[in-house]
Amino acid sequence: MEPYLRKENLAVGALLVLGFLAGQALVPALNPYLQAQVFTVGINIILAVSLNLINGFTGQFSLGHAGFMAVGAYTAAVATTRLGLPFALALLMAAAASALMGVLVGAPTLRLRGDYLAIATLGFGEILRSVLYNVDYVGGATGLFGIPRLTSWAWLFVLTVLTVLAVKNLVNSTRGLALKAVRDDEIAAEDVGVDTTQTKVLAFVLGAVFAGVGGALYAHYFFVIQPTTFSFLKSFEILVYVVLGGLGSITGSIVSATLLTLLSAALQQLAALRMVLYGLALVLVMIFRPGGLFGTREVSFESMGQLWRRLTGRQPPAPGPAPLSPLAPGSPDAPDLPEVTGGGTAQDR
Amino acid sequence: MTSILQQIVNGLSLGSIYALIALGYTMVYGIIKLINFAHGDVYMVGAYVAFFAVTLLSVNLGVALLLAMLVAALLGVLIERVAYRPLRNAPRIAALITAIGVSFILENGGIIVLKPDPRAFPDPIQWQQIRLLGGSLVLSTQDLFIVGVTVVMMLLLVWFVQRTRTGRAMRAVAYDMQAAALMGVDVDRTVATTFAVGSALAAVAGVLVGLYYNRVDPLMGLIPGLKAFIAAVLGGIGSIPGAMLGGYLLGVIEALVGGTRFSLFRDAISFALLILILLVRPAGLLGRNVREKV
């Protein structure tokens, strides 16, 4: 068993504490526009990492992530505005409701494969949106207004970190191996004794829970939620983060969710052009770098250290320096990890 | 009773349109196993080509229709060449993501170039209302025109696929791409033809929708595209008669639901139908069940 108090874990812990304190001091001082960007980045990281658990690590192509986000957002908003419950309880309810929805959607549809699953989950998202649209209790087409702003920097930071750590630890655990086995070859995984259904449902439900939490944070930062916010375009948007970052790379999801959120804020005047660029990026990345910018690689102190040693020549260099991709200027390559082409999306059947 | 009959009549014109788009989906899926998310946007482009042809070049509707089909066919071939062909041997998901990317480009490129506001589609023909059953059932010549054009297109397609060399090549490639290539079929050209034909049919649907709703806008392909996909799955994706059946079935179901107090849930019901079909009979109504090889 690995010791928890390794140098690396301590360093990560110290960085997290520093980051938290820095944000605690800085974020309230930002102007409202920049502050909103910080919160959007955090929420998008939660959404991207949780979708990556389903799409990237388990290979189950879901296009319904916005639906789970909506379940969380509406549950939490109803809990705080209609039922007058505290935020912590609202968050728990959001998580529970989206978990339940994850089971309800996942258990039957996960029998479907590849693009059929994609379409079924897309259909689920649209059904949910249509229902929200027509239920007056949650505001119908106009949505829910006057949700109190309870999402603070502390909530955002803690829940974002929690999501990332939970997904990271899960995919690095024995169960994580089962997830990747299901992704790489479902039949072979079944043969070596992986309960594929249970594994898929687990990934689906956990992904849904974090998406629900992301939705709850969203609702309690932006005051207003409307059914149209959670249409399949939102699911596509989250998918873009995951795919561009790399299906199967948590680091990739974090980096691309951050960069694309900031980029789209910068291009806000050019809404349509932004989406054209997204589309172009999707096509080009799929053609030239189908695993996404990071592939399945992760950035850690270890990989950074290796890169540092290689760059400074303190260690005999690995045979032939791995070239940096032109698409990812300065992407920290971890040279000793084998490059997995195709991003492990091998489910070609 | 007549009101139900009326809804069925309305459903048949809507269903014609779904069926036409679904044919393109089903052909492309049948041949390269790709859900072409951009198909609905090709339909939008077709509608706009006809719109500009009628308003700017003031040609008649028939010429506009042919022009729309031609441009859409070229666009379909271009999309296949640039975005899908490089990925033909890649994992299916990569191609699906690319299709989403192409759809983003077409929709938002459309918003930039064509402006986001809907435009009124000119209607060069004076449609007549035919009253049946003592005036309680209204049948418009427009409905007849839509169904008529659709049926003609379908017959042409069936003839093309069943009777021509290219059609035979398409069936061969759909059955087994490698084997067809070994037998001397030019796979690339056959796939390109499939995209051309499917896109041309989508353009016809776009023009008919323009006439039916009297409007075109850059996002008009979004929902009908998804609906047509549902229709294709409903009938059995990859099957041409299935796409027709699925299109008409979906159109009629939607029209019937539209006539009840659940009309607001119309889209939800279509998607629920999709999920139900996928769970109960994933191969669709007319599809063959293919057992998975282990």
Side-chain angles (χ1 to χ4, degrees):
Chain A
M1 182 157 170
E2 284 185 81
Y4 280 100
L5 291 177
R6 282 182 303 157
K7 243 192 322 192
E8 179 165 332
N9 284 354
L10 288 176
V12 170
L15 268 185
L16 286 179
V17 171
L18 266 179
F20 174 73
L21 291 175
Q24 191 77 327
L26 284 177
V27 169
L30 292 174
N31 70 38
Y33 174 75
L34 289 176
Q35 217 184 66
Q37 299 317 318
V38 171
F39 280 83
T40 313
V41 165
I43 291 165
N44 283 342
I45 289 177
I46 294 179
L47 295 170
V49 170
S50 58
L51 184 65
N52 204 347
L53 176 65
I54 302 173
N55 279 18
F57 288 103
T58 321
Q60 303 303 305
F61 202 65
S62 164
L63 279 180
H65 222 49
F68 295 122
M69 189 188 173
V71 171
Y74 272 89
T75 309
V78 166
T80 53
T81 56
R82 297 278 158 88
L83 310 175
L85 297 173
F87 190 43
L89 199 57
L91 280 170
L92 280 178
M93 284 173 64
S98 28
L100 187 68
M101 197 54 93
V103 176
L104 283 180
V105 179
T109 53
L110 283 171
R111 280 174 27 203
L112 304 167
R113 286 167 201 268
D115 27 49
Y116 281 103
L117 177 65
I119 289 296
T121 48
L122 188 149
F124 145 73
E126 287 303 287
I127 292 173
L128 190 74
R129 189 172 65 90
S130 168
V131 169
L132 290 173
Y133 204 85
N134 291 303
V135 174
D136 288 332
Y137 182 72
V138 293
T142 45
L144 276 176
F145 283 81
I147 303 165
R149 176 169 280 181
L150 298 170
T151 303
S152 61
W153 164 255
W155 277 116
L156 179 82
F157 187 84
V158 169
L159 289 173
T160 309
V161 169
L162 190 75
T163 306
V164 173
L165 288 183
V167 172
K168 177 181 175 295
N169 285 339
L170 174 66
V171 299
N172 291 335
S173 69
T174 320
R175 274 232 178 257
L177 290 176
L179 297 179
K180 293 173 199 165
V182 167
R183 170 188 73 191
D184 293 337
D185 191 331
E186 202 177 323
I187 295 165
E190 186 94 59
D191 272 354
V192 294
V194 175
D195 185 340
T196 52
T197 310
Q198 194 198 38
T199 306
K200 286 193 275 186
V201 172
L202 173 82
F204 210 71
V205 169
L206 270 182
V209 164
F210 290 120
V213 168
L217 292 176
Y218 179 94
H220 289 84
Y221 186 80
F222 290 101
F223 312 125
V224 185
I225 44 173
Q226 288 171 311
T228 45
T229 314
F230 307 106
S231 74
F232 63 94
L233 289 177
K234 183 79 192 172
S235 297
F236 282 3
E237 197 185 314
I238 307 168
L239 178 73
V240 172
Y241 302 144
V242 174
V243 171
L244 291 192
L247 283 156
S249 167
I250 297 173
T251 318
S253 289
I254 296 172
V255 170
S256 79
T258 308
L259 289 182
L260 288 177
T261 308
L262 297 179
L263 188 70
S264 69
L267 298 177
Q268 202 153 39
Q269 304 301 322
L270 314 159
L273 184 64
R274 189 189 85 198
M275 296 309 288
V276 171
L277 294 177
Y278 269 19
L280 266 179
L282 274 183
V283 174
L284 292 176
V285 167
M286 277 302 114
I287 293 176
F288 293 109
R289 210 177 156 81
L293 298 184
F294 281 76
T296 54
R297 281 168 294 191
E298 302 289 357
V299 173
S300 63
F301 281 103
E302 247 166 82
S303 65
M304 296 296 276
Q306 278 163 359
L307 185 71
W308 175 250
R309 281 194 294 278
R310 195 160 52 101
L311 290 177
T312 54
R314 287 194 195 166
Q315 196 187 321
L324 292 176
S325 154
L327 281 168
S331 82
D333 272 19
D336 290 350
L337 295 178
E339 169 143 11
V340 181
T341 48
T345 52
Q347 42 166 211
D348 194 9
R349 51 173 95 88
Chain B
M1 190 56 217
T2 43
S3 79
I4 291 179
L5 223 57
Q6 182 73 59
Q7 297 301 344
I8 291 177
V9 168
N10 297 345
L12 287 178
S13 6
L14 189 63
S16 296
I17 290 159
Y18 287 155
L20 277 177
I21 316 174
L23 283 171
Y25 266 120
T26 230
M27 288 166 65
V28 166
Y29 194 92
I31 206 157
I32 58 170
K33 300 281 174 288
L34 165 74
I35 300 174
N36 183 10
F37 264 111
H39 193 63
D41 304 307
V42 171
Y43 140 110
M44 175 273 291
V45 172
Y48 266 97
V49 170
F51 169 81
F52 285 120
V54 172
T55 53
L56 297 183
L57 309 176
S58 42
V59 298
N60 71 35
L61 197 61
V63 178
L65 193 64
L66 286 177
L67 216 58
M69 287 172 76
L70 186 71
V71 173
L74 289 176
L75 179 66
V77 171
L78 179 76
I79 293 172
E80 193 273 331
R81 183 70 193 82
V82 174
Y84 301 150
R85 193 178 297 178
L87 285 165
R88 198 169 297 154
N89 298 316
R92 298 240 305 271
I93 296 306
L96 188 62
I97 292 167
T98 311
I100 294 175
V102 173
S103 162
F104 277 178
I105 296 173
L106 286 178
E107 276 157 25
N108 294 283
I111 290 179
I112 294 171
V113 177
L114 306 165
K115 304 285 169 276
D117 322 282
R119 304 185 197 216
F121 197 89
D123 202 341
I125 300 170
Q126 287 294 315
W127 305 110
Q128 308 289 323
Q129 305 264 310
I130 304 166
R131 296 190 168 272
L132 298 173
L133 301 177
S136 53
L137 182 68
V138 181
L139 196 65
S140 160
T141 44
Q142 194 186 28
D143 291 327
L144 293 177
F145 178 76
I146 289 176
V147 175
V149 169
T150 305
V151 170
V152 169
M153 289 295 157
M154 286 173 176
L155 292 176
L156 275 176
L157 180 70
V158 170
W159 169 80
F160 180 75
V161 172
Q162 296 295 336
R163 293 274 178 265
T164 63
R165 276 182 75 84
T166 320
R168 198 195 303 169
M170 278 163 68
R171 283 181 287 138
V173 173
Y175 190 74
D176 188 333
M177 189 179 282
Q178 267 89 35
L182 288 174
M183 302 313 278
V185 175
D186 185 341
V187 171
D188 282 344
R189 214 188 64 190
T190 309
V191 173
T193 313
T194 310
F195 269 87
V197 173
S199 303
L201 291 173
V204 176
V207 176
L208 295 180
V209 162
L211 287 174
Y212 192 70
Y213 293 112
N214 270 318
R215 56 174 272 174
V216 284
D217 72 88
L219 296 183
M220 66 188 277
L222 210 60
I223 296 297
L226 287 177
K227 294 286 182 59
F229 178 75
I230 297 178
V233 173
L234 192 64
I237 194 149
S239 147
I240 288 177
M244 299 177 196
L245 176 72
Y248 280 110
L249 213 56
L250 187 67
V252 170
I253 291 174
E254 284 206 346
L256 288 177
V257 171
T260 69
R261 63 197 174 86
F262 297 110
S263 61
L264 289 169
F265 288 95
R266 216 174 66 168
D267 288 2
I269 286 170
S270 309
F271 281 107
L273 192 68
L274 167 78
I275 293 176
L276 198 72
I277 282 286
L278 285 177
L279 293 178
V280 179
R281 204 179 149 78
L285 296 177
L286 300 186
R288 276 173 305 134
N289 238 324
V290 183
R291 268 188 64 92
E292 188 178 329
K293 284 171 236 160
V294 180

